[in-house]
Amino acid sequence: MIEQLRTPNSELRTPKVVTISSVSAYTASTNRGDYCMSKAALSMLTPLFAARLAEHGINVYEIRPGVIATDMTGPVKEKYDKLIADGLTPIPRWARRKTLAGGRRHCG
Protein backbone atom coordinates (compact mmCIF):
# COMPACT_ATOMS: atom_id res chain seq x y z
CA MET A 1 0.00 0.00 0.00
CA ILE A 2 1.18 3.52 -0.60
CA GLU A 3 0.93 5.79 2.40
CA GLN A 4 -0.66 9.22 2.17
CA LEU A 5 1.86 11.99 1.63
CA ARG A 6 0.28 14.36 4.13
CA THR A 7 -0.52 14.05 7.80
CA PRO A 8 -4.02 14.89 9.03
CA ASN A 9 -2.84 18.46 9.79
CA SER A 10 -1.54 18.84 6.18
CA GLU A 11 2.18 18.60 6.96
CA LEU A 12 4.20 16.97 4.20
CA ARG A 13 5.47 13.50 5.00
CA THR A 14 8.25 11.46 3.51
CA PRO A 15 6.62 9.18 0.94
CA LYS A 16 6.90 5.48 1.66
CA VAL A 17 5.76 2.13 0.40
CA VAL A 18 4.95 -0.54 2.98
CA THR A 19 4.34 -4.11 1.86
CA ILE A 20 2.90 -6.72 4.18
CA SER A 21 4.23 -10.15 3.36
CA SER A 22 4.29 -13.29 5.48
CA VAL A 23 6.48 -15.89 7.12
CA SER A 24 5.29 -17.96 4.14
CA ALA A 25 7.73 -15.96 1.99
CA TYR A 26 10.47 -18.35 3.17
CA THR A 27 8.60 -21.26 4.76
CA ALA A 28 7.30 -23.89 2.33
CA SER A 29 3.78 -25.21 2.82
CA THR A 30 2.97 -27.98 0.38
CA ASN A 31 -0.76 -27.45 0.89
CA ARG A 32 -0.54 -23.75 -0.02
CA GLY A 33 2.26 -23.48 -2.57
CA ASP A 34 0.52 -20.72 -4.50
CA TYR A 35 0.23 -18.61 -1.34
CA CYS A 36 3.92 -19.17 -0.49
CA MET A 37 4.98 -18.24 -4.02
CA SER A 38 2.96 -15.02 -3.97
CA LYS A 39 4.46 -14.00 -0.62
CA ALA A 40 7.99 -14.79 -1.84
CA ALA A 41 7.37 -12.63 -4.91
CA LEU A 42 6.12 -9.77 -2.74
CA SER A 43 9.19 -10.15 -0.56
CA MET A 44 11.44 -9.68 -3.62
CA LEU A 45 9.35 -6.75 -4.84
CA THR A 46 10.22 -4.82 -1.69
CA PRO A 47 14.02 -4.54 -2.21
CA LEU A 48 13.49 -3.96 -5.93
CA PHE A 49 11.18 -1.02 -5.18
CA ALA A 50 13.64 0.20 -2.54
CA ALA A 51 16.48 0.24 -5.06
CA ARG A 52 14.44 2.00 -7.74
CA LEU A 53 12.68 4.53 -5.52
CA ALA A 54 15.61 5.52 -3.28
CA GLU A 55 16.81 8.22 -5.68
CA HIS A 56 13.38 9.83 -5.40
CA GLY A 57 13.49 9.88 -1.59
CA ILE A 58 10.81 7.21 -1.24
CA ASN A 59 11.44 4.73 1.57
CA VAL A 60 10.28 1.14 1.12
CA TYR A 61 9.62 -1.29 3.97
CA GLU A 62 8.40 -4.85 4.34
CA ILE A 63 6.47 -6.12 7.31
CA ARG A 64 6.70 -9.88 7.50
CA PRO A 65 4.52 -11.04 10.35
CA GLY A 66 4.47 -14.60 11.51
CA VAL A 67 1.35 -16.67 11.37
CA ILE A 68 -1.74 -14.47 11.67
CA ALA A 69 -4.78 -15.76 13.52
CA THR A 70 -7.53 -15.64 10.88
CA ASP A 71 -10.33 -17.81 9.57
CA MET A 72 -7.81 -19.25 7.10
CA THR A 73 -5.45 -20.43 9.86
CA GLY A 74 -8.19 -21.61 12.24
CA PRO A 75 -8.32 -25.18 10.88
CA VAL A 76 -4.54 -25.59 11.27
CA LYS A 77 -4.16 -23.88 14.65
CA GLU A 78 -2.80 -26.95 16.42
CA LYS A 79 -0.19 -27.53 13.70
CA TYR A 80 1.03 -23.93 13.85
CA ASP A 81 0.98 -23.83 17.66
CA LYS A 82 3.61 -26.57 17.53
CA LEU A 83 5.62 -24.93 14.71
CA ILE A 84 5.63 -21.60 16.56
CA ALA A 85 6.73 -23.34 19.78
CA ASP A 86 9.51 -25.06 17.80
CA GLY A 87 10.91 -21.72 16.52
CA LEU A 88 9.08 -20.99 13.26
CA THR A 89 8.88 -17.30 14.16
CA PRO A 90 11.40 -15.08 16.00
CA ILE A 91 8.72 -14.07 18.51
CA PRO A 92 6.92 -17.24 19.62
CA ARG A 93 3.31 -16.12 19.31
CA TRP A 94 0.51 -15.75 16.80
CA ALA A 95 0.29 -12.40 15.03
CA ARG A 96 -3.00 -10.49 15.14
CA ARG A 97 -4.46 -8.28 12.42
CA LYS A 98 -4.61 -5.24 14.70
CA THR A 99 -0.86 -5.43 15.41
CA LEU A 100 -0.04 -4.95 11.71
CA ALA A 101 -1.33 -1.37 11.72
CA GLY A 102 0.95 -0.51 14.63
CA GLY A 103 3.99 -1.86 12.82
CA ARG A 104 3.13 0.07 9.68
CA ARG A 105 2.99 3.35 11.63
CA HIS A 106 6.57 2.83 12.82
CA CYS A 107 8.06 2.50 9.34
CA GLY A 108 10.01 5.60 8.45
Side-chain angles (χ1 to χ4, degrees), residues 3-21:
E3 293 289 317
Q4 294 178 353
L5 299 180
R6 293 189 178 273
T7 61
N9 61 2
S10 294
E11 294 175 6
L12 286 176
R13 293 181 5 182
T14 302
K16 62 185 169 186
V17 176
V18 180
T19 61
I20 299 176
S21 180

Side-chain angles (χ1 to χ4, degrees), residues 19-34:
T19 61
I20 299 176
S21 180
S22 167
V23 67
S24 292
Y26 62 87
T27 303
S29 175
T30 57
N31 296 334
R32 299 180 327 130
D34 52 345

Side-chain angles (χ1 to χ4, degrees), residues 27-83:
T27 303
S29 175
T30 57
N31 296 334
R32 299 180 327 130
D34 52 345
Y35 181 80
C36 295
M37 288 172 36
S38 69
K39 294 304 180 177
L42 182 60
S43 221
M44 178 49 67
L45 177 104
T46 305
L48 290 172
F49 274 14
R52 289 194 168 202
L53 298 174
E55 69 182 272
H56 303 288
I58 299 173
N59 297 325
V60 181
Y61 304 93
E62 176 183 11
I63 297 175
R64 192 184 289 177
V67 184
I68 301 175
T70 65
D71 293 342
M72 185 174 83
T73 56
V76 292
K77 183 181 183 316
E78 188 175 310
K79 171 187 171 182
Y80 280 97
D81 283 344
K82 181 176 177 358
L83 289 169

